[in-house]
Amino acid sequence: MDNKAETDLTDAQSAPPAATDLVAALQAVLPPHCILFREEDTRPFECDGLSLYRALPAVVCLPETEAQIQAVMRICRKLNAPVVPRGAGTGLSGGAMPHPQGVLLGLSKLNRIKRIDRDSATAVVEPGVRNLAISEAAAPYGLYYAPDPSSQIACSIGGNVAENSGGVRCMKYGLTVHNILRVRVVTIDGDIVELGSEAPDAPGLDLLAVFIGSEGMLGVVTEITVKLLPKPACAQVLLASFNSAEAAGHAVTRIIGAGIIPAGLEMMDRQAIHMVEPFVQAGYDMDAQAILLCESDGTREEVDHEVERMEAVLGAAGATRLQVSTSEPERLRFWAGRKNAFPAAGRVSPDYYCMDGTIPRRHLARVLTAIEQMEDEFGLRCANVFHAGDGNLHPLILFDSNKPEETERADKFGVAILELCVQVGGTVTGEHGVGMEKINQMCVQFSREELDTFLAVKRAFDPRCLLNPQKVIPTLARCAEYGKMHVHGGELRFPDLSRF
Amino acid sequence: MDNKAETDLTDAQSAPPAATDLVAALQAVLPPHCILFREEDTRPFECDGLSLYRALPAVVCLPETEAQIQAVMRICRKLNAPVVPRGAGTGLSGGAMPHPQGVLLGLSKLNRIKRIDRDSATAVVEPGVRNLAISEAAAPYGLYYAPDPSSQIACSIGGNVAENSGGVRCMKYGLTVHNILRVRVVTIDGDIVELGSEAPDAPGLDLLAVFIGSEGMLGVVTEITVKLLPKPACAQVLLASFNSAEAAGHAVTRIIGAGIIPAGLEMMDRQAIHMVEPFVQAGYDMDAQAILLCESDGTREEVDHEVERMEAVLGAAGATRLQVSTSEPERLRFWAGRKNAFPAAGRVSPDYYCMDGTIPRRHLARVLTAIEQMEDEFGLRCANVFHAGDGNLHPLILFDSNKPEETERADKFGVAILELCVQVGGTVTGEHGVGMEKINQMCVQFSREELDTFLAVKRAFDPRCLLNPQKVIPTLARCAEYGKMHVHGGELRFPDLSRF
């Protein structure tokens, strides 16, 4: 930042600054086209992919360089202004919802792929680069970036780092945290720190892992070194039908138990199949109560061998029909059904609410049965489409928001699912983040001591809690108000769900 | 803890307590056989596997329950007494060296395997359980625990968590951090927090990852949920000879580049081969300048296919001789050479100093050449035996400690190697930890802002820095005294090593 800007800064104060003061301070360090503060300009930034939560920011900054980000952070620190970082705005938990008195810091202009290194199979990229763009740039070298959230055409790698995004492939190839080697970060003080390294492991505390998935609460990432993988020579998908979701759940456990790690292991229940098939014509078995999609990738020989083993395990687990893709177009068609499940839900129901709980795999069958019972209880349909191999559920609760009473039931249904996940030893979110949406459920997931530990680590990076405030970590007051208690160690954590 | 003990505690004070006060307070909460304070009893705890650093603790506590650990922690917090946790004492960086005014907290009595769950392929164990004992207990279910540090017969899983231990298999199966799902921790306040979960990912900050490898600085682990893997049906090892260490280094890059992830990829240079072969008769090629050991595991078909691919790649990379193990005894014999390299060094040299730097794999050849040049410069021999696939070097510097001047040269040689590792983008320690040994090199590895971030996170868990104090994170004063500067971003971080 230039010296003029530094001397223009007023002293620290305890309340957030007036919007005009904030804008004036920012105008001293950013070119005019990088600052938006008129309502018609800030309106497009009022929410992310979860449009339920909206707010207009005091100002939107769209910096073009790391030095500009440092300057913005120093101003915010000095003026006590909240900072909400934003990637491509595709997040599903309100993590990028603006603070009305703060800066919405958009990173879309930092979108260069700086280096692709074929020998070390790494790429150095800026945070605004789209997930899929990395794989496209690496393709000439026979490499790709593995994590594939369903928004991968649009979402940015910086957002993936903030949310620790997953995807279909993450069972075999890991989450974002397993595919990032190093990040360069601007702290709230405007300092630069680098976390992680290109070499395996790193001395000292593993702050790279704590940064990945920190939902914009610890710092702003300006450069990312990602791992690239050799593109598998071929891939095939196996479609297996089952007479019950329970049987499909058990089949998942048996595949993993056989030591097979598929490159994708997805489940769709009857509701989801009937929602998707008329829309996509993927070739799904309309008579099945549940289907599994099991992908194998590798060399020709590896795929042949693995597909054969999966057929044997699925057959023994009671599959009523088995289809193996015989060509690349057929493989893509089989996947098209899964990948279009969300739009398909929009076709059969005015609204849907997508949950993101995870559970230990061994409880898959039990939890699916419980969700079925909840459909009756809440009087709403729920389609299940999810990363079965990871135990990462995406129940889609179908409802009509024009009927307020139905919205309320959908909300309660969602909460009941998430709390059931916690009850069986799972979590309230797998890959979509906590953000605004699941902050109450964090009271159920964690004890007060655990939330205090989160908060202490948050403060280690950001003592005044200016970075993405009032998200992710609930206060004691909020948990008291929510009125749900966390109890460690017992099998049943909330008696009211003990019937499932 | 009982109420009597609580009321017996004196107020907090700023200096550590007198040993007699500390012992008296501990006697109120621990049975007599769990406290050692006479010199003859505490002497066996004066050092870990790095005997260069020694100190007698004020008192040794060997608790038998989590509640006793909570009581000890509350006393230490109240009396301001340092606490140094200790597993099996096999660490190689002085991480468990006692504090002379503090408690050495030995966890060896917490050694129960609480549960092995075949379906979820997990085990719940106490920290004092030996690494190998987990695999032995899981064997009847066809499962095992993957990380295999060379001390695995003796080292404890709690120590593995503290050091984020690796081993030969960690290239394919990950470090400790990739094989632990959950830990239960007693904080310095005596509270219980659980980090991680059995379900994939976890909401909020990834404090499990930051805890693993934190070298006893954040809390004391009392229960660990580990991932188990299905035992591979078979394994074979391929031995490849090369005309130069450089050629072997390039071959490693080509194997990874071909998308093969061996279950072990180790390198030994000529010095190491000639040290080991007369001792072990492993069948190594005495004419080679370097050999690679490449392990394949999986089903019969997978292993056949992978060995064939590795033979092709290694042949194309200039291997002068290729041998594939044809039986399990032969496979074990091939590995026996690698696994006995350290004892073999003891046979040919009065002393050896084992380093643990990591480097990006693409710099293997360059760094090995530089180490060869350093042998001339420092007038000492160095044998290289290491996890080539991970870029984790274990140079063994051979010297005679009876010649003080030689010890000094060995020390300088070691420092030069570590700083070269940092220069090429690597780290000063892969799997042995920082502890006491590499604290100066942390000044070279990290910037002041980065070390401050470590310290802030450390304080988030332990505000008064009572847990394993004066280790791992160097103070500003120490770095100033060491006189080495860290400079980010440039290719050459210290001009004095630019000649390599």
Side-chain angles (χ1 to χ4, degrees):
Chain A
M1 67 192 284
D2 63 47
N3 288 334
K4 183 178 166 300
E6 184 68 35
T7 49
D8 276 350
L9 298 181
T10 57
D11 283 333
Q13 49 193 52
S14 57
T20 48
D21 294 344
L22 183 56
V23 169
L26 291 165
Q27 281 171 331
V29 298
L30 288 181
H33 66 279
C34 294
I35 307 182
L36 310 172
F37 52 89
R38 288 187 205 88
E39 194 191 316
E40 63 270 30
D41 295 331
T42 60
R43 179 68 66 194
F45 297 89
E46 67 178 348
C47 67
D48 61 14
L50 182 67
S51 54
L52 201 61
Y53 299 91
R54 291 167 197 262
L56 278 181
V59 53
V60 174
C61 291
L62 301 170
E64 295 168 325
T65 66
E66 184 182 75
Q68 288 174 353
I69 295 174
Q70 289 181 277
V72 170
M73 297 290 262
R74 287 187 184 124
I75 287 171
C76 291
R77 177 77 162 92
K78 191 123 186 176
L79 299 185
N80 229 36
V83 186
V84 176
R86 175 186 168 108
T90 56
L92 291 172
S93 56
M97 190 194 73
H99 189 288
Q101 292 167 294
V103 171
L104 191 283
L105 186 65
L107 296 161
S108 55
K109 291 183 179 177
L110 277 82
N111 62 356
R112 284 184 308 149
I113 294 179
K114 292 179 155 181
R115 183 165 67 86
I116 293 186
D117 185 319
R118 182 186 203 149
D119 281 348
S120 65
T122 56
V124 178
V125 301
E126 291 185 332
V129 172
R130 287 176 307 110
N131 173 300
L132 197 59
I134 301 176
S135 292
E136 285 166 357
Y141 307 99
L143 300 170
Y144 78 114
Y145 175 68
D148 59 341
S150 59
S151 56
Q152 70 177 144
I153 297 174
C155 67
S156 69
I157 186 72
N160 292 176
V161 166
E163 303 296 326
N164 190 17
S165 304
V168 164
R169 293 195 199 107
C170 71
M171 175 169 190
K172 183 166 178 179
Y173 298 109
L175 300 164
T176 301
V177 71
H178 305 114
N179 290 277
I180 301 287
L181 295 169
R182 185 195 66 105
V183 294
R184 190 170 158 97
V185 170
V186 178
T187 68
I188 189 66
D189 294 321
D191 292 332
I192 303 288
V193 295
E194 294 196 4
L195 310 177
S197 99
E198 267 193 64
D201 203 7
L205 300 170
D206 187 358
L207 299 187
L208 176 62
V210 87
F211 190 87
I212 295 174
S214 63
E215 303 193 28
M217 292 194 303
L218 305 186
V220 173
V221 65
T222 58
E223 193 181 279
I224 302 161
T225 303
V226 306
K227 252 197 256 183
L228 301 173
L229 297 179
K231 224 179 144 126
C234 65
Q236 261 181 305
V237 65
L238 203 158
L239 215 55
S241 305
F242 289 88
N243 272 334
S244 69
E246 203 179 336
H250 284 306
V252 168
T253 308
R254 289 176 73 162
I255 286 188
I256 310 299
I260 302 169
I261 303 178
L265 181 45
E266 300 286 306
M267 195 195 293
M268 296 173 72
D269 69 4
R270 182 184 170 79
Q271 193 86 254
I273 298 165
H274 282 251
M275 207 166 71
V276 158
E277 186 56 25
F279 177 41
V280 185
Q281 286 95 42
Y284 292 168
D285 178 1
M286 297 283 279
D287 296 328
Q289 291 300 312
I291 56 168
L292 292 181
L293 285 100
C294 314
E295 174 111 333
S296 175
D297 67 9
T299 63
R300 182 72 267 159
E301 292 82 356
E302 282 165 354
V303 171
D304 286 347
H305 175 58
E306 194 170 76
V307 167
E308 197 179 294
R309 289 180 71 208
M310 291 200 294
E311 285 185 301
V313 173
L314 292 166
T320 53
R321 189 170 140 188
L322 285 172
Q323 294 166 263
V324 182
S325 66
T326 52
S327 66
E328 189 61 9
E330 190 176 38
R331 186 181 78 88
L332 296 175
R333 186 159 56 81
F334 284 171
W335 276 113
R338 165 64 184 88
K339 297 212 168 174
N340 285 294
F342 290 16
R347 248 176 114 249
V348 301
S349 172
D351 298 279
Y352 64 90
Y353 188 27
C354 172
M355 311 309 296
D356 175 45
T358 77
I359 54 171
R361 265 190 312 260
R362 68 177 185 282
H363 292 308
L364 262 183
R366 180 185 172 197
V367 169
L368 291 174
T369 308
I371 291 177
E372 241 178 81
Q373 289 170 29
M374 289 181 190
E375 289 189 77
D376 291 339
E377 179 167 346
F378 294 101
L380 292 172
R381 285 179 302 155
C382 178
N384 286 291
V385 182
F386 59 96
H387 310 309
D390 295 308
N392 187 183
L393 308 178
H394 288 322
L396 295 169
I397 300 169
L398 310 179
F399 70 104
D400 182 350
S401 64
N402 289 320
K403 302 178 186 159
E405 180 271 341
E406 225 174 70
T407 306
E408 199 180 307
R409 270 188 284 142
D411 194 52
K412 283 186 180 156
F413 193 167
V415 167
I417 291 174
L418 292 187
E419 298 187 356
L420 175 63
C421 290
V422 177
Q423 186 183 331
V424 300
T427 70
V428 298
T429 170
E431 53 187 10
H432 297 174
V434 175
M436 295 295 296
E437 188 196 18
K438 277 152 257 160
I439 192 163
N440 283 337
Q441 279 68 49
M442 291 289 279
C443 308
V444 179
Q445 180 89 65
F446 296 107
S447 70
R448 193 61 242 164
E449 289 76 19
E450 286 157 357
L451 293 173
D452 283 345
T453 309
F454 284 144
L455 206 58
V457 172
K458 154 74 171 164
R459 289 210 173 104
F461 284 83
D462 176 21
R464 292 201 235 169
C465 292
L466 295 175
L467 281 160
N468 221 3
Q470 291 146 36
K471 292 178 189 161
V472 187
I473 309 171
T475 59
L476 180 56
R478 182 185 267 271
C479 288
E481 197 181 318
Y482 187 60
K484 287 262 169 69
M485 285 292 295
H486 170 95
V487 183
H488 256 313
E491 176 62 15
L492 296 177
R493 299 194 178 190
F494 351 89
D496 61 326
L497 280 169
S498 62
R499 64 193 181 283
F500 299 115
Chain B
M1 68 192 284
D2 63 47
N3 288 333
K4 183 180 165 300
E6 185 68 36
T7 51
D8 276 349
L9 298 181
T10 57
D11 284 333
Q13 50 194 49
S14 58
T20 47
D21 294 344
L22 183 57
V23 169
L26 291 166
Q27 281 171 330
V29 297
L30 289 181
H33 65 279
C34 294
I35 307 182
L36 309 173
F37 53 88
R38 288 186 204 88
E39 194 193 316
E40 64 269 31
D41 295 331
T42 60
R43 179 67 67 193
F45 297 90
E46 68 178 347
C47 68
D48 61 14
L50 183 67
S51 54
L52 201 61
Y53 299 91
R54 292 167 196 262
L56 278 181
V59 53
V60 174
C61 291
L62 300 170
E64 294 168 325
T65 66
E66 183 182 76
Q68 288 174 354
I69 294 173
Q70 289 181 277
V72 169
M73 297 289 262
R74 287 188 185 123
I75 287 172
C76 290
R77 177 78 161 91
K78 190 124 187 173
L79 300 184
N80 228 35
V83 186
V84 176
R86 176 186 167 108
T90 55
L92 291 171
S93 57
M97 190 194 74
H99 189 288
Q101 292 166 295
V103 171
L104 190 283
L105 187 65
L107 295 161
S108 55
K109 291 183 178 177
L110 277 82
N111 63 355
R112 284 184 308 149
I113 294 180
K114 291 179 155 181
R115 183 165 65 87
I116 292 187
D117 185 320
R118 181 187 203 148
D119 282 348
S120 65
T122 57
V124 179
V125 302
E126 291 185 332
V129 173
R130 287 174 307 109
N131 172 300
L132 196 60
I134 301 176
S135 292
E136 286 166 357
Y141 307 99
L143 299 170
Y144 78 113
Y145 175 69
D148 59 341
S150 59
S151 57
Q152 71 177 143
I153 296 173
C155 66
S156 69
I157 186 72
N160 292 176
V161 166
E163 303 296 326
N164 191 18
S165 305
V168 164
R169 291 194 198 107
C170 71
M171 172 165 194
K172 182 166 178 179
Y173 298 108
L175 299 163
T176 301
V177 70
H178 304 115
N179 289 277
I180 301 287
L181 295 170
R182 187 193 66 103
V183 294
R184 191 171 156 96
V185 170
V186 177
T187 68
I188 189 67
D189 294 321
D191 292 333
I192 303 288
V193 295
E194 294 196 5
L195 309 177
S197 98
E198 266 192 65
D201 203 7
L205 300 170
D206 187 359
L207 300 187
L208 176 62
V210 86
F211 190 86
I212 295 174
S214 62
E215 304 194 27
M217 290 194 305
L218 305 186
V220 174
V221 65
T222 58
E223 193 181 281
I224 302 160
T225 304
V226 305
K227 252 196 255 183
L228 301 173
L229 296 179
K231 224 179 146 127
C234 65
Q236 261 180 306
V237 65
L238 203 158
L239 216 56
S241 305
F242 290 88
N243 272 335
S244 69
E246 204 180 337
H250 284 306
V252 169
T253 308
R254 290 176 71 160
I255 285 188
I256 310 300
I260 302 169
I261 302 178
L265 181 46
E266 301 285 306
M267 195 195 294
M268 296 172 72
D269 69 4
R270 183 183 169 80
Q271 192 87 255
I273 299 165
H274 282 250
M275 204 167 73
V276 159
E277 186 57 26
F279 177 43
V280 185
Q281 286 96 42
Y284 292 168
D285 178 0
M286 298 282 279
D287 296 328
Q289 290 300 312
I291 56 169
L292 292 181
L293 286 101
C294 314
E295 174 111 333
S296 175
D297 67 10
T299 63
R300 182 72 266 159
E301 293 81 357
E302 281 166 354
V303 171
D304 285 347
H305 176 58
E306 193 169 78
V307 166
E308 198 179 293
R309 290 181 70 208
M310 291 200 294
E311 283 184 303
V313 173
L314 292 167
T320 53
R321 189 169 140 187
L322 285 171
Q323 293 166 265
V324 182
S325 65
T326 53
S327 66
E328 189 62 11
E330 190 176 36
R331 186 181 79 87
L332 296 175
R333 185 159 58 79
F334 284 171
W335 276 113
R338 165 64 183 90
K339 299 213 168 176
N340 286 295
F342 290 15
R347 246 176 114 251
V348 300
S349 172
D351 299 278
Y352 65 90
Y353 187 28
C354 173
M355 311 309 295
D356 174 46
T358 76
I359 54 171
R361 266 190 311 259
R362 68 177 186 282
H363 293 307
L364 263 183
R366 180 184 172 199
V367 169
L368 291 174
T369 308
I371 292 177
E372 241 177 81
Q373 289 171 27
M374 288 180 191
E375 289 190 77
D376 291 338
E377 179 167 346
F378 293 102
L380 291 172
R381 285 179 302 156
C382 177
N384 285 292
V385 182
F386 59 96
H387 310 311
D390 295 308
N392 188 182
L393 309 178
H394 288 322
L396 295 169
I397 300 169
L398 310 179
F399 70 103
D400 182 351
S401 63
N402 289 321
K403 302 177 187 159
E405 180 271 341
E406 222 173 72
T407 305
E408 200 181 307
R409 270 190 284 142
D411 195 50
K412 284 186 180 157
F413 193 168
V415 167
I417 291 175
L418 293 187
E419 298 186 357
L420 175 63
C421 290
V422 176
Q423 186 183 332
V424 300
T427 69
V428 298
T429 170
E431 53 187 11
H432 297 174
V434 175
M436 294 295 295
E437 188 195 18
K438 277 151 257 161
I439 192 162
N440 283 337
Q441 279 68 49
M442 291 289 278
C443 308
V444 179
Q445 180 89 68
F446 296 107
S447 71
R448 193 62 241 163
E449 289 76 18
E450 286 156 357
L451 293 173
D452 283 345
T453 309
F454 285 144
L455 205 58
V457 173
K458 154 74 172 165
R459 289 211 172 104
F461 284 83
D462 176 22
R464 292 201 233 169
C465 292
L466 295 175
L467 282 160
N468 221 4
Q470 291 146 35
K471 293 180 188 160
V472 187
I473 309 171
T475 58
L476 180 57
R478 182 185 269 271
C479 288
E481 197 181 322
Y482 187 58
K484 286 262 168 70
M485 286 291 295
H486 169 95
V487 182
H488 256 313
E491 176 63 16
L492 296 177
R493 300 194 177 190
F494 349 89
D496 60 326
L497 281 169
S498 62
R499 64 193 181 281
F500 300 117

